[in-house]
Amino acid sequence: NRNAEESAKFHAAAARQNHLDGMAVLGGCLRTGTGVKRNITLGLQLIEFSAKNGNPTGVNKKAALLESDDDYYGAFDLYNSCYESSSVNALMLFNLGWCLHNAQGIDEKNVEKGMQLWKEASEMSPDEGSEEAAWYIYNDLKRENPKEAEVWLDLAVELGLDEAIAEKASIPEW
């Protein structure tokens, strides 16, 4: 795929300039063989380096790997330490909010804090993760506060989230 190859080249150039986001994304490309020859070891090393340096893109990628091994507590710890260092992006805020809202990687739910993080993530639109945050806020509010929920659904639609577009189309009064 030409776009995948161009993305890998772009992120490789950024990584060569010590750009941590570039390293994390290139690491993901190398790990999966997306746009470049697959090199799992180097991909994981780049992701690890980026995450260890507190980069939210690296943290998201490393936490996703931990979650794929059912290490939800490790993933939560990564998200939370990144948040506490004020190094955030929308996807990291969404993921940390998900953990809190659903008690994933922690022992007690904190729905209020999870919703707050989703709102912060949504405010970063159109960044990746903001559309999912808006969608989950909508789903959380639609029964008890449909007017406020509609605002979040509209944002998720505006950001192109397929589930939100389908939901909006299925509601006759809108």
Side-chain angles (χ1 to χ4, degrees), residues 24-46:
V25 174
L26 178 61
C29 292
L30 287 164
R31 189 183 71 75
T32 61
T34 304
V36 293
K37 184 178 177 194
R38 189 171 190 185
N39 184 333
I40 296 169
T41 302
L42 180 57
L44 291 173
Q45 289 172 340
L46 288 171

Side-chain angles (χ1 to χ4, degrees), residues 90-91 94 121-122 126-134:
L91 184 57
F94 169 74
S122 294
D127 292 357
E128 179 185 8
S130 60
E131 74 288 357
E132 291 173 294

Side-chain angles (χ1 to χ4, degrees), residues 106-117:
I106 57 172
D107 295 325
E108 259 185 63
K109 282 185 180 188
N110 188 337
V111 173
E112 184 177 316
K113 179 68 174 176
M115 290 283 284
Q116 174 199 328
L117 292 172

Side-chain angles (χ1 to χ4, degrees), residues 41-82:
T41 302
L42 180 57
L44 291 173
Q45 289 172 340
L46 288 171
I47 291 168
E48 178 68 28
F49 181 82
S50 182
K52 271 191 176 172
N53 282 283
N55 176 267
T57 302
V59 165
N60 282 319
K61 291 189 176 300
K62 182 170 182 186
L65 293 169
L66 292 173
E67 290 169 345
S68 72
D69 285 335
D70 295 328
D71 183 0
Y72 299 106
Y73 285 90
F76 173 80
D77 288 343
L78 273 176
Y79 296 136
N80 198 48
S81 66
C82 194

Side-chain angles (χ1 to χ4, degrees), residues 101 111 115 137-150:
H101 192 278
V111 173
M115 290 283 284
I137 293 168
Y138 161 74
N139 278 296
D140 210 58
L141 295 176
K142 68 182 177 181
R143 285 183 179 74
E144 292 181 27
N145 192 341
K147 283 293 181 200
E148 184 181 351
E150 184 179 1

